[in-house]
Amino acid sequence: MNGDSPNTGSPSCLSLSNKLNSIRTLIRPRLPHDIHDYVLEGICKALEGFHVISVVRTGGGKTTYFTGYMILLQELEKVSEDHCLKKTLNRTIPEDPLCIIVYPTKGLEEDMADQFNSLGIPSLAINEDTIRAARNKRTDLWAQAMDPQLRCLLLSPEQLSSKPFNTALSNRLFYSRIIALNVDEIHLILTWGVLGFRLCFRDIGNMLMRLPRWTTLTGVTATLSAGTDTQEVTRMLGLKSGSFTFMRRSNRRPELQLIFRTLRQSTQGWSFPDLNWILDGHRKIMIYCSTISLAFRLFYNQRSRDLFVNDLNCQVLISTDALKVGNDFPNVDDVIVIEPQSPDDILQKGGRAGRKLPFSTPGPRCICYFSESTMKHAKTIIQHGKNEADARQNQQHGKMTIQMARLLFAECINAQLDDLFDNPAEEPPSPLPSLPRQSHIRHSRGPMATRLSDGMRDYGLKSLQNFRENTWHQQRDSPSIRALPSAALLTDKRIGGILDSFAKIRTVDDLAPHVNTFLRGHEQSLLNKILELRKKFDRMAIALDPENDQYVQISISFTFIF
């Protein structure tokens, strides 16, 4: 394909307003919220057969480029041949189309697989961890990947050059089904690939050349600076002029405060008085450290993602670049970055703050700390007037770039970032309305008197996880199920929703918001399990073990209202 557009004829003009409305009508009922117009336009371009590179702010709907595209393909299979979209489209869609999506981290890859499955898009995540887990269960993930019912194969970039994936490509049926190669955080081709941190990112362009000629690439990111970086990414992907659409939205987040501070004490010791203010507040804070050593000295104990999100008393999360991209914590107030390496670094890490409304007061902040020696070095770089070529060489050697130096001494940080990323002047997109949708209705946990105790929730979680495993094993011979992990039937998030609304669930109809496509037909079995749990919880309420008549130790907390 050599980066040519797979579009073999004239554009099908899907981006005309009437066609956009038709596409929105097909996609919208399957999503938990509406879809941005610019995302819809990108999906149309991909369907027309053009490659798409999109730069959009964190939280701006990048994932919908992937989910919306696959939902559209699924819905087009259902409409008649005389539907206006099928009559307009001049591109052939392969039977049982398969999309390959590359994610930068294993955790993000697995989270997205769960999200895709919950939207009715059969998906499978393959990385070192999932392969190991499947092997322990004597399951072959790559055999599951060959299932024609599968719609999305989520891979780490290392898997693109693996022997099993090469073997899969040699299968004629598997190869012919591939319709898209999508890449999340495509800027990492430069910041991780070229710089040698993960060389496998440089192979993405080579892989595109090996896929069927009709394969389109969609790459999304929040941080791809204008000029040399953009040109270098498209060159490394092998994209030719006229074969791709470049869409740049402003990556500025007006609600996020960017604050630069100078450290008064070295980061080489064990005392950090500059950060004492953290302990005096009550805000959820993520701290990014440049090295594991600094992270260890700043905080001794590792804290899990769930603890940070769910425990109000867990105030601080310490991380290296492992959480730089792709995490979507809903409750981060502030992000602290110690010695960020580049403007990209600041925006990516700072973008973790304030992802969900409402904001606390003051609003979300990204506070960057620099040593005095770093500030002196930045001033020297500006005085010597390093050019862009020197900046690229400095970045490759882990040194400060001229862009970073200018940002440190800019009169207006946001104006300098707008210039660096060529941000167009535009109003930030308003939050998309979330319309009630049966499979995404979220229930409140109800009055205090009807809530389950922590012990009941733990017991219920394990019981419903066992239910889903048993149900999956009963259906594993089904073509639509065997390609999916058991969690696709009933995710832990849905189990949490069931436990939140436990007192309200009395009939099969009450289960409708908690049952996705893959669990349809098993509602009565799930209800029976819930009724069984209700009896177990009654025993626990009077301090009896749910499995026998022995008393158990319980602790009770009291709330007084005066």
Side-chain angles (χ1 to χ4, degrees):
M1 191 171 93
N2 295 324
D4 293 322
S5 168
N7 188 318
T8 55
S10 59
S12 53
C13 299
L14 291 176
S15 51
L16 295 177
S17 59
N18 62 327
K19 300 298 189 301
L20 283 176
N21 290 334
S22 297
I23 291 175
R24 188 189 297 273
T25 301
L26 290 178
I27 297 175
R28 176 62 193 91
R30 297 269 301 274
L31 292 173
H33 50 67
D34 205 348
I35 182 171
H36 288 299
D37 290 342
Y38 57 84
V39 176
L40 198 62
E41 182 182 352
I43 292 172
C44 291
K45 290 297 183 182
L47 186 62
E48 287 177 333
F50 292 97
H51 306 299
V52 177
I53 304 294
S54 179
V55 180
V56 60
R57 69 187 184 93
T58 55
K62 294 188 289 294
T63 299
T64 318
Y65 280 97
F66 305 157
T67 57
Y69 181 66
M70 292 311 298
I71 288 173
L72 178 58
L73 292 182
Q74 288 179 311
E75 295 303 313
L76 284 176
E77 292 177 355
K78 302 175 185 178
V79 301
S80 63
E81 292 300 322
D82 60 354
H83 190 279
C84 64
L85 293 178
K86 281 193 172 180
K87 292 173 66 175
T88 303
L89 190 64
N90 63 359
R91 180 189 178 197
T92 301
I93 305 298
E95 188 175 354
D96 299 324
L98 174 68
C99 176
I100 296 169
I101 308 181
V102 180
Y103 281 101
T105 63
K106 292 180 286 189
L108 177 60
E109 179 190 334
E110 294 165 37
D111 286 347
M112 289 297 102
D114 287 343
Q115 181 176 327
F116 283 29
N117 282 315
S118 71
L119 293 173
I121 308 170
S123 303
L124 180 66
I126 297 184
N127 56 52
E128 291 179 357
D129 292 350
T130 58
I131 290 173
R132 187 182 304 110
R135 189 180 296 121
N136 292 337
K137 297 181 179 180
R138 298 186 178 181
T139 303
D140 185 354
L141 286 187
W142 283 106
Q144 294 182 21
M146 307 303 288
D147 193 302
Q149 299 295 321
L150 192 71
R151 287 295 173 264
C152 284
L153 182 60
L154 284 65
L155 302 176
S156 59
E158 286 80 5
Q159 294 299 324
L160 292 179
S161 57
S162 68
K163 185 176 180 180
F165 186 62
N166 285 325
T167 301
L169 290 180
S170 66
N171 181 292
R172 186 170 62 179
L173 178 59
F174 178 89
Y175 183 84
S176 65
R177 293 173 51 220
I178 299 173
I179 190 172
L181 174 65
N182 296 339
V183 185
D184 188 35
E185 308 295 357
I186 201 162
H187 70 281
L188 295 178
I189 291 176
L190 291 180
T191 57
W192 284 3
V194 172
L195 301 185
F197 175 54
R198 291 174 69 183
L199 295 175
C200 53
F201 276 92
R202 299 190 300 185
D203 297 330
I204 293 175
N206 294 332
M207 179 52 61
L208 178 62
M209 303 302 130
R210 296 183 56 195
L211 298 181
R213 60 179 179 78
W214 55 77
T215 305
T216 56
L217 178 140
T218 297
V220 296
T221 180
T223 51
L224 182 62
S225 58
T228 303
D229 283 2
T230 298
Q231 296 168 8
E232 187 68 6
V233 165
T234 55
R235 184 193 68 79
M236 294 185 69
L237 290 172
L239 304 184
K240 295 182 179 180
S241 177
S243 72
F244 68 95
T245 296
F246 188 89
M247 308 174 69
R248 183 181 291 278
R249 301 280 300 181
S250 174
N251 62 4
R252 179 196 286 197
R253 288 181 51 197
E255 78 281 6
L256 179 66
Q257 301 178 58
L258 293 174
I259 302 170
F260 291 175
R261 293 176 178 171
T262 303
L263 288 166
R264 294 170 295 173
Q265 189 161 331
S266 170
T267 59
Q268 302 304 311
W270 290 81
S271 177
F272 300 90
D274 293 285
L275 304 181
N276 284 347
W277 63 269
I278 295 173
L279 304 178
D280 298 329
H282 301 282
R283 293 166 67 85
K284 286 278 190 176
I285 298 175
M286 292 183 68
I287 303 179
Y288 286 96
C289 302
S290 55
T291 64
I292 295 176
S293 171
L294 177 57
F296 178 77
R297 284 180 283 111
L298 193 60
F299 197 65
Y300 303 99
N301 299 317
Q302 184 179 0
R303 291 291 186 266
S304 70
R305 179 186 193 279
D306 288 342
L307 182 62
F308 182 74
V309 172
N310 299 320
D311 189 341
L312 294 177
N313 295 317
C314 182
Q315 183 182 340
V316 180
L317 180 65
I318 309 293
S319 177
T320 59
D321 276 7
L323 289 180
K324 175 180 178 180
V325 293
N327 72 74
D328 193 14
F329 297 142
N331 55 347
V332 178
D333 296 309
D334 296 331
V335 167
I336 294 175
V337 190
I338 310 294
E339 297 278 14
Q341 300 297 306
S342 66
D344 290 22
D345 208 29
I346 293 172
L347 289 183
Q348 283 290 343
K349 293 173 178 175
R352 304 308 111 194
R355 297 296 291 265
K356 303 292 182 182
L357 295 171
F359 302 139
S360 57
T361 303
R365 302 178 297 184
C366 174
I367 304 173
C368 301
Y369 283 93
F370 303 89
S371 66
E372 291 184 355
S373 61
T374 296
M375 300 301 291
K376 291 178 181 178
H377 181 54
K379 185 174 292 186
T380 301
I381 290 177
I382 293 175
Q383 290 173 347
H384 284 77
K386 301 286 185 180
N387 58 33
E388 201 167 351
D390 292 331
R392 170 61 57 193
Q393 187 176 14
N394 280 349
Q395 188 174 352
Q396 290 177 352
H397 291 86
K399 299 177 181 178
M400 180 178 292
T401 65
I402 184 66
Q403 292 93 338
M404 187 66 196
R406 288 171 179 162
L407 186 62
L408 286 178
F409 289 95
E411 293 184 5
C412 176
I413 296 174
N414 282 324
Q416 187 70 28
L417 289 172
D418 285 346
D419 181 65
L420 175 61
F421 290 98
D422 196 21
N423 284 333
E426 60 186 28
E427 290 294 325
S430 301
L432 291 172
S434 296
L435 303 180
R437 201 168 56 92
Q438 192 176 49
S439 60
H440 278 268
I441 296 175
R442 300 188 65 180
H443 296 272
S444 66
R445 296 188 63 176
M448 182 69 72
T450 66
R451 295 185 189 178
L452 303 179
S453 68
D454 290 342
M456 292 176 184
R457 289 184 69 87
D458 290 341
Y459 184 85
L461 173 63
K462 293 176 182 177
S463 296
L464 291 174
Q465 286 174 336
N466 289 334
F467 167 82
R468 116 185 139 195
E469 289 292 327
N470 294 334
T471 305
W472 182 82
H473 280 288
Q474 293 169 11
Q475 301 183 80
R476 60 181 177 181
D477 292 333
S478 168
S480 61
I481 295 298
R482 64 173 178 248
L484 302 175
S486 60
L489 275 67
L490 187 64
T491 64
D492 286 352
K493 186 174 182 179
R494 287 183 182 273
I495 291 176
I498 290 173
L499 297 175
D500 287 347
S501 308
F502 196 82
K504 302 177 182 178
I505 299 176
R506 299 287 176 176
T507 67
V508 168
D509 291 340
D510 297 332
L511 283 172
H514 310 289
V515 175
N516 64 15
T517 304
F518 307 115
L519 202 61
R520 296 277 161 74
H522 295 270
E523 292 92 337
Q524 187 59 54
S525 297
L526 178 56
L527 180 62
N528 292 341
K529 185 66 177 178
I530 290 172
L531 296 178
E532 176 188 326
L533 277 174
R534 184 163 283 121
K535 295 179 180 179
K536 304 284 188 182
F537 293 160
D538 288 342
R539 297 175 63 83
M540 296 175 74
I542 57 174
L544 283 175
D545 188 293
E547 305 299 340
N548 55 57
D549 291 332
Q550 294 181 350
Y551 282 91
V552 295
Q553 269 194 324
I554 59 173
S555 60
I556 303 176
S557 60
F558 296 88
T559 301
F560 297 92
I561 301 177
F562 297 95

